[in-house]
């Protein structure tokens, strides 16, 4: 969990976010404990949207302050826990920068007022465990991904996302939808992403094959270990995929 002072909500790049400056690769490492799916492309996209403003060295390298990292964590938390579109998040952050109290809508907050100087505004909700949203509706998914019904139907037609058997979408589908939308801004259409979906299905099948003997075991502890192993393998698979793509492209972290 990221930690930040509770004396206010400093805007990125201000004196209130003083401290050492770090590279985008270091920011990724700092965020990944809480947000394992965050990528450098996601951070750059949020910068392009004007939600965070890192400094630039004379040679053009991004340098992020402590306040920038805290701001990114707040943005990602609002997306993950409240499924807020970027437009609403920008309004929330602007309000916090002005020292105003905000009301966070969404299925996990019940619209309560948040003190901008308090931990709830900085870390999310406090005093209780963060609720898990197991299912979201169609309208919530569209709002979270900032797309329309036509685009959602197209994604479904290519098998990129699908509703669960008894209706609605699981929470992870929100992440998938956002990533598809982000890639679409670079000109990648659903037909281009079918290969990625097929590769993901093959990786998932391999993971399931590896843990299947453990999941069939009579011992409940062994079955629980199977679930933990499956999550760890999934995380390693995602990181390997990212590393392979970056290596293939010759991406340099800066």
């Amino acid at each position: 969990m990221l930690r930040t002072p509770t004396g206010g909500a400093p805007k990125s790049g201000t004196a209130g976010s003083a401290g050492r400056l770090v590279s985008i690769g270091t920011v990724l490492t700092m965020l990944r404990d809480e947000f394992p799916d965050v990528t450098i492309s996601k951070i750059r996209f949020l910068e392009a949207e004007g939600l965070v403003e890192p400094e630039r060295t004379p040679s053009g390298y991004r340098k992020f302050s402590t306040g920038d990292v805290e701001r990114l964590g707040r943005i990602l938390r609002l997306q993950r826990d409240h499924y807020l579109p970027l437009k609403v998040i920008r309004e929330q952050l602007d309000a916090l920068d002005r020292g105003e109290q905000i009301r966070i809508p969404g299925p996990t907050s019940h619209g309560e007022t948040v003190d901008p100087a308090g931990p709830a505004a900085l870390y999310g909700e406090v005093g209780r465990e963060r609720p898990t949203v197991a299912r979201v509706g169609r309208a919530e998914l569209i709002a979270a991904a900032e797309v329309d019904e036509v685009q959602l139907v197209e994604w479904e037609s290519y098998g990129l996302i699908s509703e669960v058997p008894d209706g609605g979408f699981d929470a992870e589908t929100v992440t998938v939808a956002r990533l598809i939308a982000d890639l679409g801004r670079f000109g990648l259409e659903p037909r281009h992403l079918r290969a990625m979906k097929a590769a993901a299905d093959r990786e998932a099948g391999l993971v399931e094959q590896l843990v299947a003997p453990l999941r069939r075991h009579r011992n409940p502890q062994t079955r629980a270990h199977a679930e933990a192993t499956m999550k760890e393998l999934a995380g390693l698979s995602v990181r390997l995929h990212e590393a392979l793509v970056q290596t293939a492209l010759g991406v340099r972290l800066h």
Side-chain angles (χ1 to χ4, degrees), residues 31-198:
L31 292 172
R32 270 233 165 111
D33 282 346
E34 185 179 355
F35 308 101
D37 295 327
V38 70
T39 63
I40 284 181
S41 295
K42 175 68 172 181
I43 296 172
R44 288 173 174 162
F45 171 71
L46 293 174
E47 179 191 358
E49 291 293 307
L51 291 168
V52 65
E53 300 173 1
E55 295 185 21
R56 291 277 187 161
T57 67
S59 55
Y61 290 96
R62 296 172 177 84
K63 290 295 181 180
F64 293 79
S65 69
T66 301
D68 292 325
V69 180
E70 292 164 355
R71 190 176 179 88
L72 283 167
R74 193 174 304 147
I75 293 166
L76 295 171
R77 208 168 289 114
L78 286 170
Q79 286 190 316
R80 181 194 64 195
D81 298 344
H82 302 283
Y83 305 103
L84 299 184
L86 292 182
K87 178 182 178 182
V88 175
I89 291 176
R90 184 181 290 106
E91 293 170 354
Q92 300 279 8
L93 294 176
D94 288 344
L96 287 173
D97 291 336
R98 295 190 298 269
E100 299 175 4
Q101 289 191 335
I102 62 173
R103 291 179 64 84
I104 300 178
T108 64
S109 67
H110 309 293
E112 58 261 53
T113 300
V114 177
D115 178 0
L122 300 173
Y123 316 134
E125 296 170 359
V126 294
R128 59 178 180 267
E129 292 184 4
R130 180 180 291 115
T132 298
V133 180
R135 200 72 56 82
V136 297
R138 198 172 189 85
E140 290 174 304
L141 182 63
I142 289 173
E146 300 183 290
V147 295
D148 55 34
E149 176 70 21
V150 174
Q151 289 170 289
L152 182 55
V153 169
E154 184 180 17
W155 297 349
E156 290 174 312
S157 71
Y158 281 97
L160 298 176
I161 63 173
S162 59
E163 294 190 53
V164 296
D166 55 345
F169 300 87
D170 62 41
E172 192 60 33
T173 303
V174 176
T175 301
V176 173
R178 287 184 181 135
L179 290 170
I180 295 172
D182 288 347
L183 288 169
R185 296 184 181 98
F186 291 91
L188 285 172
E189 300 176 8
R191 60 189 176 88
H192 300 136
L193 304 180
R194 285 185 297 183
M196 292 186 185
K197 178 63 166 61

